[in-house]
Amino acid sequence: MSLASQPSLRSLPSLDVHDLNTSPSLHQCIATIKGHSSASAYVSALAVDGDSLYIASSDGSIRLWALDGASRSQEEQQQDDGCSSSSSSTTVADTDSSVKSLLATGNGGLLLSSHQDGKIRAWRAAGGGTARHGRSSSWDRSIKVWRLPGFRCVESIAAAHDDAINALAVSPDGRVYTGSADKKIKAWTRGPGQRKHALVGTMERHRSAVNALALGANGKVLYSGACDRSVVVWESAGGGDGGMEATGTLRGHARAILCLAAAGELVCSGSADRTVRVWRRGGAENNGYTCLAVMESHGAAVKSLALVRGGRDDDGSCSSEGSSALVCSGALDGDVKIWSVFIPCL
């Protein structure tokens, strides 16, 4: 069965999604970062660290692009409807193995990259930082926990799923969620005094491989995207055990969901249908979702996303003029696009 013909979920209701045409939102592509030198290379992962955007490629290289360049591009385009091209990125790492994922830890400029050869590589732009734990998942169905900055594996869970693990998300309270080609999402946690993570829940709603996970609303909402073209919304089930239950789905993409990014009340979805959708949770009259934008100028499937700025001020307030988010999307044609999305106040 092709990705385009995968059935949409019917077991959960579609959440109340406001008609895009009635939304006062405005989105604009403000920059396009052209692809790598190899014509066959595609953007495989994105990560943001402060004002820096790291761009990973299937050719094994990692590039750096300054996000303040996006602000300059936006000013230049005030009288221009086009999306200017930029080739000002700098290659900061080059390996002989395709990059599969990136993580900017915020720990003294530490950047982690996982690769097709099964290795995780650590890169540092500056010294310093305190010890912390990192998690990694793999197509070999295992989960590993690493202590940083010593890079020592302190825990390994073999056969955590029945098929390849495609996505991992960690909540602020340390709970780990994994999404797999076996169509399942699993929740893992390590209690006080425990040395190993234990399986505390298995979530089954998707009809095909789970490709992406993202946590929003300060870790209270989990989003999962799959080849069935749907984004399932999971929220706290109550009871104090931290369990999640499916409360609905976000529909609109015509092909598989390949990537997700979330921050605050915003969630972005990227698809094999070459589009990016931006959704906002909540509303004046209900707890539904508003589709703020559908970005359609990519020439190939959207493989990676980064939501750079959320839709509210640091104190949670929203000015009368609204606010904005900066969305970065990378595609299989090798290009990265930077989008500015206006977020009206609820």
Side-chain angles (χ1 to χ4, degrees):
M1 181 180 290
S2 68
L3 293 180
S5 63
Q6 288 282 354
S8 184
L9 290 178
R10 299 184 183 278
S11 57
L12 286 172
S14 294
L15 292 173
D16 183 9
V17 179
H18 297 270
D19 191 335
L20 177 68
N21 294 327
T22 66
S23 173
S25 309
L26 175 67
H27 69 275
Q28 181 183 25
C29 178
I30 58 178
T32 297
I33 307 168
K34 301 305 294 181
H36 291 254
S37 57
S38 172
S40 61
Y42 61 85
V43 178
S44 55
L46 298 173
V48 173
D49 187 6
D51 290 329
S52 298
L53 174 66
Y54 291 97
I55 305 167
S57 171
S58 61
D59 66 9
S61 63
I62 301 173
R63 292 180 294 159
L64 173 64
W65 194 75
L67 284 171
D68 58 4
S71 300
R72 292 195 297 269
S73 297
Q74 188 171 16
E75 294 172 359
E76 294 168 358
Q77 292 189 65
Q78 288 180 346
Q79 297 178 340
D80 184 3
D81 292 333
C83 187
S84 63
S85 296
S86 171
S87 58
S88 58
S89 60
T90 302
T91 299
V92 294
D94 203 356
T95 72
D96 57 2
S97 180
S98 175
V99 182
K100 309 305 294 183
S101 64
L102 278 179
L103 174 64
T105 67
N107 183 16
L110 183 65
L111 181 73
L112 302 177
S113 58
S114 63
H115 296 257
Q116 183 71 40
D117 61 10
K119 297 179 181 179
I120 298 175
R121 293 173 170 86
W123 316 87
R124 190 185 294 281
T130 57
R132 64 175 66 190
H133 289 87
R135 284 87 172 176
S136 66
S137 59
S138 171
W139 286 353
D140 66 7
R141 303 177 292 150
S142 71
I143 304 170
K144 294 184 183 295
V145 181
W146 305 82
R147 185 184 297 277
L148 304 179
F151 311 112
R152 182 170 65 91
C153 182
V154 295
E155 183 183 349
S156 181
I157 304 174
H161 280 269
D162 297 326
D163 206 335
I165 300 175
N166 296 327
L168 182 146
V170 182
S171 68
D173 64 3
R175 182 170 294 242
V176 178
Y177 298 95
T178 52
S180 170
D182 64 10
K183 309 176 187 179
K184 300 175 183 177
I185 300 164
K186 292 187 176 183
W188 311 80
T189 191
R190 183 172 57 188
Q194 295 180 340
R195 299 183 59 185
K196 295 183 178 298
H197 285 76
L199 177 66
V200 293
T202 299
M203 300 134 76
E204 299 183 67
R205 288 293 182 182
H206 286 290
R207 294 186 173 183
S208 52
V210 178
N211 297 321
L213 297 174
L215 283 160
N218 296 320
K220 298 177 181 178
V221 181
L222 176 70
Y223 302 96
S224 58
C227 287
D228 55 27
R229 301 173 286 148
S230 295
V231 177
V232 174
V233 180
W234 307 83
E235 302 196 43
S236 174
D241 60 356
M244 293 282 199
E245 63 180 2
T247 57
T249 61
L250 299 175
R251 296 187 174 96
H253 284 290
R255 301 192 68 183
I257 310 296
L258 301 181
C259 50
L260 294 169
E265 304 302 318
L266 296 181
V267 59
C268 306
S269 53
S271 170
D273 66 11
R274 306 183 181 186
T275 70
V276 176
R277 288 178 175 258
V278 180
W279 318 80
R280 183 180 61 187
R281 176 176 179 263
E285 299 179 355
N286 53 57
N287 196 32
Y289 281 74
T290 300
C291 185
L292 298 177
V294 180
M295 287 92 97
E296 301 178 302
S297 65
H298 272 295
V302 179
K303 185 67 171 61
S304 52
L305 285 171
L307 179 56
V308 180
R309 298 185 179 95
R312 292 182 179 273
D313 297 331
D314 293 339
D315 61 1
S317 63
C318 184
S319 67
S320 58
E321 296 82 12
S323 54
S324 64
L326 203 61
V327 179
C328 308
S329 55
L332 296 186
D333 59 7
D335 288 350
V336 174
K337 292 186 181 292
I338 313 297
W339 310 84
S340 176
V341 182
F342 175 71
I343 314 296
C345 291
L346 291 175

